Amino acid sequence: MNWDDLRIFLAVARAQRLSRAAATLEMDATTVSRRLRKLETTLALRLFEHAPTGHMLTEDGQRLLDQVERMEAEALDIAGTQPNGMGLAGTLRVSASEGFGTRIIAPRLQGFTSRFPNIQIDLIASSGFLSPSRREVDVAVMLARPRAGPLVASKLTDYALGLYATRAYLAAAPPLRQPADLLGHRMTGYVGDQIYAPELRYLAEIDRRLAPQVRSTSINAQAEMIAGGHVCGILPCFIGDAMPGLERLLRDTIDIQRSFWLVVPRDLRGLPRIDRFLGWLVEEMQPLRHAMHGTSQTPAAPSRRVLPRSIPGDSEST
């Protein structure tokens, strides 16, 4: 096996069509196809599936792409140059909590995908996390720093949670002057035996006697129930402040603090598509600082800044 064969593989993985790859390489498409078959024979692996949309990487092909991109990145670092956005390709699986994934990442993701159109993003935004330790995911935004595992972690941002309700709810409910008054109110919250992270057990921080009457595993569902005017509840401020009609209550006495952590398998750091995504997300969070801390009413509009290659403050779990 030689670098020329890997260079051809890289071009096809990024272009996803033999004709486009051949034009980039200034080679005949038949020659490109023959060299790919030779590489697959040498490695005893099937690297591509032939689909209507073109040549799609198999799992073995994706693993080889990770290795070849790392080789390319190191070579470009030696040469003092970096690949442009069109040069990066592959799949990037991102796991995030439902609220952060749907309210923060999803509305801004076009800023990344327009810069890197050949990177396929799988955004897993749900009540729970895929495990970076088991390589179920390439990047995870988690509620706590992992204590063990072959992982690299960096704090992305702190954020605040507060008590929210509508004016209609407050008009029909008993007076609410202090946290203890919540015992006489209808609240929404998580389903107790379905809570996937201890950081979500924040009602006990207010009063251990509190028990929500209407529960859901979904923070978005809880937000909609509060907006419906029949219950009050705790929401991240980046959700509650952005929803018309919701008011934050008892701001001086109910101010819950949490953090989001960026977590990546150690052996994936240094891959260009991973580092570019991490840098993009860190940059996107900078103008959202006030919204995350509950000191402004609405999150800032998605930005279109130049993307750095890495994130500051990495620390490793062992």
Side-chain angles (χ1 to χ4, degrees), residues 5 18 27 39 44 50 62 66-67 145 161 175 186 195 197 202-203 252 279 302:
D5 291 336
L18 284 179
M27 298 173 64
L39 180 62
H50 300 284
Q62 184 64 58
D66 291 345
Q67 295 173 319
R145 182 185 184 276
L161 301 98
R186 291 182 58 83
I195 292 178
Y202 36 69
L203 284 184
D252 294 335

Side-chain angles (χ1 to χ4, degrees), residues 98-120:
E98 180 196 16
F100 188 83
T102 58
R103 305 292 179 125
I104 300 297
I105 296 180
R108 294 165 171 77
L109 200 53
Q110 183 184 0
F112 182 82
T113 57
S114 62
R115 176 77 182 275
F116 302 104
N118 294 325
I119 296 179
Q120 176 181 310

Side-chain angles (χ1 to χ4, degrees), residues 58-212:
T58 63
E59 290 187 10
D60 288 328
Q62 184 64 58
R63 281 191 288 270
L64 180 61
L65 178 64
D66 291 345
Q67 295 173 319
V68 175
E69 282 192 333
R70 187 175 284 111
M71 293 167 59
E72 180 192 49
E74 291 175 355
L76 289 167
D77 280 341
I78 293 172
T81 61
Q82 299 297 335
N84 59 29
M86 293 297 293
L88 298 183
T91 300
L92 184 61
R93 176 166 284 199
V94 180
S95 173
S97 64
E98 180 196 16
F100 188 83
T102 58
R103 305 292 179 125
I104 300 297
I105 296 180
R108 294 165 171 77
L109 200 53
Q110 183 184 0
F112 182 82
T113 57
S114 62
R115 176 77 182 275
F116 302 104
N118 294 325
I119 296 179
Q120 176 181 310
I121 300 289
D122 293 341
L123 176 59
I124 315 298
S126 59
S127 299
F129 297 105
L130 298 182
S131 171
S133 294
R134 295 194 296 269
R135 293 297 299 272
E136 295 174 337
V137 65
D138 301 315
V139 177
V141 182
M142 305 186 72
L143 293 173
R145 182 185 184 276
R147 296 183 180 274
L151 304 168
V152 179
S154 175
K155 183 184 284 190
L156 178 60
T157 181
D158 295 319
Y159 69 100
L161 301 98
L163 176 67
Y164 289 86
T166 63
R167 289 188 178 182
Y169 170 83
L170 293 172
L176 185 52
R177 301 186 182 91
Q178 58 185 345
D181 292 338
L182 285 170
L183 293 170
H185 283 254
R186 291 182 58 83
M187 296 191 70
T188 184
Y190 284 101
V191 181
D193 62 359
Q194 297 293 312
I195 292 178
Y196 60 88
E199 290 77 16
L200 299 179
R201 298 185 182 278
Y202 36 69
L203 284 184
E205 295 183 20
I206 302 172
D207 192 313
R208 292 186 178 276
R209 296 170 295 174
L210 289 176

